[in-house]
Amino acid sequence: MIEMKAVVEVTGGDSVVLSGRMSREEFDAALAAIDEYNRDEDAPEPFPGLPEQECLIMSGGVRLQDTGSGVVIEPGCCAGLEEWRQWLWLLDGERPWLGHSLDPGLEFRADVARLWPDAEDADGPACEIRIAEVRAHLEGVRQDLLGFLELVRRWAPHGLGEQLAAAFDEHFHISAPL
């Protein structure tokens, strides 16, 4: 079975899945990573300036996993959650930005997109996602991100919940229909 999840990279190179089912610890780690990635070096304290950032970016993106084989396609370096909707490009036979280092491989075969973790190893294990199912998988990602926004409204520090949720929605294009 194929799963798509929105993830953010946190301290130590680990990633956290963004959803309304996050623990408080996962939420705090994700929010701290987003703040750290976007924070002006001159900011006296974390978070208050985050909603006013001209351009918010988030190290992470969409993780694709074949739960049967265990093959995982992680967002590569320089990928960001702001590009998560690019996965819709698969519907038109185009490659979304998946990052680099490792640079995931992608090829189209009939009605599937075949992805593997390292373009240098095309013979290695791969995930195959049916093109006809891409929109439904991305709608699941969107629902998870909407749940994350609810947690932002509830748990963001300094009374910034509504402002941060609005900023994340705007910069990461979450609530707009696919």
Side-chain angles (χ1 to χ4, degrees), residues 19-41:
S19 77
R21 298 173 301 281
M22 299 172 75
S23 69
R24 185 60 188 253
E25 182 180 336
E26 291 169 325
F27 175 83
D28 289 345
L31 196 59
I34 296 165
D35 178 63
E36 183 177 320
Y37 204 78
N38 289 279
R39 182 134 65 102
D40 180 355
E41 293 176 7

Side-chain angles (χ1 to χ4, degrees), residues 140-162:
V141 169
R142 183 175 163 274
Q143 292 303 314
D144 283 345
L145 290 170
L146 288 169
F148 171 68
L149 288 182
E150 286 306 310
L151 294 182
V152 170
R153 287 182 180 93
R154 229 181 317 158
W155 289 344
H158 310 294
L160 293 172
E162 287 299 326

Side-chain angles (χ1 to χ4, degrees), residues 12-82:
D14 293 330
S15 59
V16 171
V17 174
L18 300 175
S19 77
R21 298 173 301 281
M22 299 172 75
S23 69
R24 185 60 188 253
E25 182 180 336
E26 291 169 325
F27 175 83
D28 289 345
L31 196 59
I34 296 165
D35 178 63
E36 183 177 320
Y37 204 78
N38 289 279
R39 182 134 65 102
D40 180 355
E41 293 176 7
D42 298 329
E45 59 183 89
F47 305 112
L50 201 55
E52 287 83 34
Q53 289 288 330
E54 191 172 310
C55 178
L56 285 176
I57 54 178
M58 189 183 304
S59 182
V62 173
R63 176 193 301 156
L64 185 67
Q65 180 174 4
D66 182 329
T67 59
S69 69
V71 175
V72 178
I73 311 299
E74 293 282 356
C77 180
C78 299
L81 190 66
E82 59 276 6

Side-chain angles (χ1 to χ4, degrees), residues 1-20:
M1 182 169 112
I2 295 295
E3 288 185 349
M4 278 185 148
K5 299 291 182 187
V7 297
V8 62
E9 187 177 316
V10 296
T11 307
D14 293 330
S15 59
V16 171
V17 174
L18 300 175
S19 77

Side-chain angles (χ1 to χ4, degrees), residues 75-156:
C77 180
C78 299
L81 190 66
E82 59 276 6
E83 291 134 357
W84 74 274
R85 287 177 177 257
Q86 285 186 11
W87 281 83
L88 286 170
W89 294 3
L90 293 175
L91 300 174
D92 297 322
E94 295 180 37
R95 179 187 177 94
W97 171 242
L98 303 173
H100 59 87
S101 261
L102 300 173
D103 182 16
L106 169 66
E107 68 181 6
F108 293 93
R109 294 184 174 177
D111 63 343
V112 302
R114 181 177 180 273
L115 296 102
W116 58 98
D118 182 1
E120 301 283 321
D121 186 16
D123 295 328
C127 288
E128 290 190 351
I129 183 169
R130 300 181 64 72
I131 300 297
E133 296 173 358
V134 168
R135 187 175 297 277
H137 284 294
L138 282 175
E139 182 57 35
V141 169
R142 183 175 163 274
Q143 292 303 314
D144 283 345
L145 290 170
L146 288 169
F148 171 68
L149 288 182
E150 286 306 310
L151 294 182
V152 170
R153 287 182 180 93
R154 229 181 317 158
W155 289 344

